[in-house]
């Protein structure tokens, strides 16, 4: 999808559909006012008569607009002006592009950048428009024998009222397009069934991503023999009960001027199907355990986005991929495994397998002497109990890193919430027979899972994102969300901007 920017008068815009935001109070925004004047007060009369109430998220298609060059108008309700904020703006965007995705049009023009959002400029709004457009035209129909026609929308022209705003809108649209495509790629990986998206398939996707990057991304795949030699016994223990071999996938993006510059590392949990192993899960809802690799999918999606944006920093993506299944060779409760770090782990529950693959992947990152490490995992059901499906759980051994991630999530509107990682929780992982146990009981399950991972992150600044509640939706809208690609991308772009400001020195 393309997102050109134009400064033309909306009255003169030639388009199949012109998207116009309207506040409930009837006080029209600049683009709407110009259109209203040119169309004999068409918009104003609709609002005054109550034919369009402009409630937040309400849309109304006007199939013929006299005096305008647009074939149609789509009015989008913003609700009350004084309540307008990031969340309500995004809700209006999603309502607009949901409607546009169902129209028989391949291009539209949007005046949605006119909306005043407190503390947000044209670049942010253009980014949100592009992301929303791409999210809402996404369809997963790969396995439908007779799929419904896909949305035809291929171009969204962003109308700006001031030529000085064009450059910032273009940059916002560029970032939004890359993020939106990364999100949709992540969603597709998450939505694929476990008999297709296996650890080997994820490795193939990493190679394909590298091939498409034009040399920006390189890939190394560590297979089970290499993992055995390395001593990654914890990762291998999870895959022992499956016919599918484990993989450690390492992707490197070199964008900094110096290849020696310390990289930012993203580590994703890639359990392509989680039966629970010997600690078998209940059958109801087990089909959704194909989503247990969404952390890995978000790493691949973020690397895809970064390869498109080409920031000047070094990024490494690591995916710990395995399938957790029960058979005669599977790890049993009470078994003790040896990690790559050399610590022994008593496996009290084989369904707490994500931390067992991540701990070896985190230890592996030490060789890169990273500037920061962020792991992303659908790790605990406790995160859903604590935070529901709105916020990603965030825990870290570095408060500054945690704040950077919180800020990035706020900007990307892909928000996280900071939970404590206090030493007092660590004793819940004590084991009578090994260095530590892989679970710490029911209390504070999300925190003790992060405590486990923290034992393997003493050599670097690290944060953990528990996306169990945000990586996918259940019910009628079942499917992967693509989160937290937006947060991760913004975090990396912020690090590039931070490095650039340090290089240039303080302003005089």
């Amino acid at each position: 999808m393309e997102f050109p920017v134009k400064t033309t008068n909306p009255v003169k815009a030639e388009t199949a559909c012109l998207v116009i935001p309207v506040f409930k109070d009837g006080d029209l925004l600049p683009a709407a006012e110009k259109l209203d004047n040119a169309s004999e007060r068409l918009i104003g009369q609709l609002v005054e008569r109550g034919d369009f109430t402009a409630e937040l998220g309400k849309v109304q298609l006007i199939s013929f607009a006299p005096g305008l060059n647009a074939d149609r108008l789509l009015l989008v309700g913003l609700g009350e002006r004084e309540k307008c904020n990031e969340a309500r703006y995004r809700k209006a965007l999603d309502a607009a592009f949901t409607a546009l995705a169902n129209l028989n049009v391949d291009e539209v023009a949007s005046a949605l950048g006119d909306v005043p959002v407190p503390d947000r400029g044209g670049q942010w709004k253009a980014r949100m428009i592009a992301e929303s457009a791409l999210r809402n035209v996404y369809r997963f129909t790969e396995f439908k024998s007779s799929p419904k026609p896909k949305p035809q929308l291929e171009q969204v022209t962003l109308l700006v009222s001031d030529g000085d705003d064009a450059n910032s809108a273009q940059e916002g649209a560029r970032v939004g397009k890359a993020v939106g495509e990364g999100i949709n790629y992540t969603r597709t990986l998450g939505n694929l069934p476990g008999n297709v998206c296996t650890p080997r398939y994820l490795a193939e996707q990493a190679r394909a991503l590298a091939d498409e990057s034009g040399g920006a991304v390189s890939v190394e795949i560590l297979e089970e023999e290499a993992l055995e030699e390395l001593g990654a016994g914890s990762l291998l223990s999870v895959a022992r009960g499956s016919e599918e071999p484990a993989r450690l996938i390492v992707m490197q993006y070199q964008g900094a001027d110096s290849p020696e510059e310390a990289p930012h590392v993203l580590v994703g949990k890639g359990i392509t199907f989680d039966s629970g192993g010997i600690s078998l899960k209940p059958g109801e809802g087990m089909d959704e355990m194909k989503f247990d690799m969404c952390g890995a999918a978000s790493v691949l999606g973020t690397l895809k986005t970064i390869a498109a944006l080409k920031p000047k920093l070094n990024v490494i993506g690591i995916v710990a991929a395995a399938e957790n299944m029960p058979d005669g060779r599977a790890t049993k409760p009470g078994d003790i495994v040896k990690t790559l770090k050399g610590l022994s782990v008593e496996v009290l529950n084989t369904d707490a397998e994500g931390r067992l693959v991540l701990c070896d992947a985190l230890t592996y990152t030490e060789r890169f002497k990273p500037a920061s490490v962020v792991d992303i995992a659908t790790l605990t059901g406790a995160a859903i109990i604590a935070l529901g499906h709105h916020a990603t759980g965030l825990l870290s051994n570095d408060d500054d890193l945690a704040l950077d991630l919180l800020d990035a999530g706020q900007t990307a509107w892909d928000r996280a919430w900071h939970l404590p990682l206090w030493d007092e929780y660590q004793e819940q992982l004590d084991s009578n027979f090994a260095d530590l146990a892989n679970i710490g009981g029911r209390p504070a399950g999300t925190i003790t899972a992060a405590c486990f991972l923290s034992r393997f992150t003493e050599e670097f600044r690290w944060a953990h994102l528990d996306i169990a509640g945000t990586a996918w939706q259940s019910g009628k809208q079942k499917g992967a969300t693509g989160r937290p690609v937006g947060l991760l991308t913004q975090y990396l772009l912020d690090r590039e901007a931070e490095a650039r400001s340090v290089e240039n020195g303080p302003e005089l």
Side-chain angles (χ1 to χ4, degrees):
M1 190 179 293
E2 300 302 320
F3 298 93
V5 176
K6 291 185 178 180
T7 55
T8 186
N9 185 329
V11 174
K12 299 178 180 179
E14 295 184 5
T15 179
C17 186
L18 190 53
V19 186
I20 304 299
V22 182
F23 278 113
K24 193 175 179 181
D25 59 11
D27 185 11
L28 300 181
L29 292 165
E33 189 172 21
K34 290 176 183 177
L35 293 164
D36 198 47
N37 292 335
S39 62
E40 301 178 358
R41 295 202 65 248
L42 173 63
I43 300 171
Q45 290 185 62
L46 285 170
V47 174
E48 289 168 9
R49 292 197 304 248
D51 293 335
F52 180 63
T53 59
E55 297 285 351
L56 178 63
K58 184 173 182 179
V59 298
Q60 184 164 324
L61 184 68
I62 302 172
S63 57
F64 175 71
L68 307 180
N69 285 340
D71 296 338
R72 309 168 182 79
L73 289 183
L74 183 73
L75 303 184
V76 182
L78 299 171
E80 299 172 42
R81 183 185 289 262
E82 60 271 19
K83 292 183 178 179
C84 188
N85 58 22
E86 294 109 319
R88 292 169 74 87
Y89 181 67
R90 282 173 54 96
K91 185 172 181 178
L93 293 182
D94 287 343
F97 285 107
T98 297
L100 291 167
N102 293 319
L103 286 183
N104 188 27
V105 296
D106 60 5
E107 62 84 25
V108 301
S110 163
L112 291 162
D114 255 6
V115 181
V117 181
D119 302 320
R120 298 299 182 191
Q123 183 170 325
W124 183 87
K125 288 184 282 188
R127 171 178 170 176
M128 293 299 113
I129 290 168
E131 283 188 33
S132 179
L134 286 161
R135 280 200 323 272
N136 285 288
V137 300
Y138 174 84
R139 302 289 185 271
F140 184 78
T141 59
E142 278 76 349
F143 299 94
K144 297 277 191 180
S145 55
S146 300
K148 294 179 181 178
K150 289 191 175 183
Q152 297 184 25
L153 191 60
E154 295 179 353
Q155 179 175 299
V156 178
T157 300
L158 308 184
L159 302 180
V160 295
S161 55
D162 189 338
D164 294 339
D165 296 332
N167 288 339
S168 61
Q170 285 175 339
E171 177 59 18
R174 183 182 80 92
V175 174
K177 177 182 177 180
V179 172
E181 290 176 347
I183 286 171
N184 285 350
Y185 175 64
T186 298
R187 291 166 79 184
T188 293
L189 289 176
N191 289 335
L192 287 169
N195 60 322
V196 172
C197 187
T198 63
R200 284 180 286 190
Y201 181 87
L202 288 178
E204 291 166 6
Q205 288 298 303
R207 290 191 183 99
L209 192 155
D211 291 342
E212 293 166 5
S213 73
V217 177
S218 61
V219 172
E220 180 184 11
I221 310 296
L222 278 69
E223 299 186 0
E224 287 199 340
E225 185 176 348
L227 293 171
E228 289 276 9
E229 292 178 6
L230 199 63
S234 187
L235 168 56
L236 288 168
S237 74
V238 175
R240 193 170 293 140
S242 173
E243 292 292 321
E244 284 292 333
R247 294 287 184 268
L248 189 69
I249 304 162
V250 183
M251 299 166 282
Q252 297 195 48
Y253 166 82
Q254 296 284 349
D257 292 332
S258 170
E260 302 303 316
E261 183 176 304
H264 297 277
V265 182
L266 307 178
V267 179
K269 172 188 172 184
I271 301 298
T272 57
F273 188 80
D274 182 18
S275 70
I278 296 299
S279 305
L280 195 67
K281 291 178 179 289
E284 184 179 357
M286 196 194 285
D287 64 289
E288 294 189 5
M289 288 303 96
K290 70 176 185 176
F291 295 120
D292 211 19
M293 41 63 67
C294 282
S298 73
V299 171
L300 285 157
T302 303
L303 263 291
K304 181 180 179 68
T305 301
I306 291 300
L309 294 176
K310 296 180 171 55
K312 289 192 171 184
L313 77 168
N314 296 332
V315 181
I316 294 175
I318 298 177
V319 168
E323 191 178 67
N324 187 23
M325 298 290 284
D327 84 345
R329 297 176 61 249
T331 297
K332 306 174 294 298
D335 285 358
I336 294 176
V337 300
K338 200 70 170 289
T339 65
L340 179 56
K341 192 176 182 69
L343 295 176
S344 60
V345 176
E346 182 183 12
V347 181
L348 297 180
N349 189 318
T350 65
D351 194 23
E353 84 297 328
R355 63 203 75 183
L356 296 177
V357 301
L358 285 173
C359 70
D360 280 351
L362 288 167
T363 300
Y364 190 82
T365 65
E366 289 181 13
R367 66 192 59 212
F368 300 112
K369 297 180 172 55
S372 69
V373 177
V374 181
D375 80 69
I376 311 97
T378 51
L379 206 64
T380 65
I384 304 173
I385 303 303
L387 299 171
H389 297 283
H390 301 291
T392 290
L394 165 64
L395 301 101
S396 179
N397 64 8
D398 185 286
D399 286 343
D400 289 337
L401 174 57
L403 287 172
D404 287 340
L405 287 162
L406 290 172
D407 287 345
Q410 195 72 24
T411 298
W413 210 247
D414 184 1
R415 295 170 296 172
W417 189 256
H418 195 183
L419 296 170
L421 192 67
W422 299 336
D423 287 342
E424 287 85 344
Y425 291 105
Q426 293 281 357
E427 65 186 33
Q428 290 179 233
L429 298 172
D430 289 349
S431 166
N432 289 345
F433 306 107
D435 294 322
L436 71 166
N438 79 322
I439 58 171
R442 288 179 62 83
T446 298
I447 295 171
T448 56
C451 285
F452 180 96
L453 296 176
S454 73
R455 305 281 186 101
F456 303 85
T457 64
E458 295 168 351
E459 303 299 320
F460 45 76
R461 299 168 65 238
W462 158 82
H464 162 64
L465 295 175
D466 193 327
I467 60 170
T470 56
W472 79 91
Q473 294 176 307
S474 300
K476 288 185 68 176
Q477 302 299 319
K478 184 186 293 187
T481 64
R483 294 179 67 183
V485 169
L487 183 162
L488 295 171
T489 301
Q490 187 63 47
Y491 169 73
L492 294 170
L493 293 178
D494 289 346
R495 303 289 70 72
E496 180 198 25
E498 185 178 72
R500 191 185 301 127
S501 67
V502 170
E503 288 175 7
N504 295 336
E507 293 184 7
L508 298 176

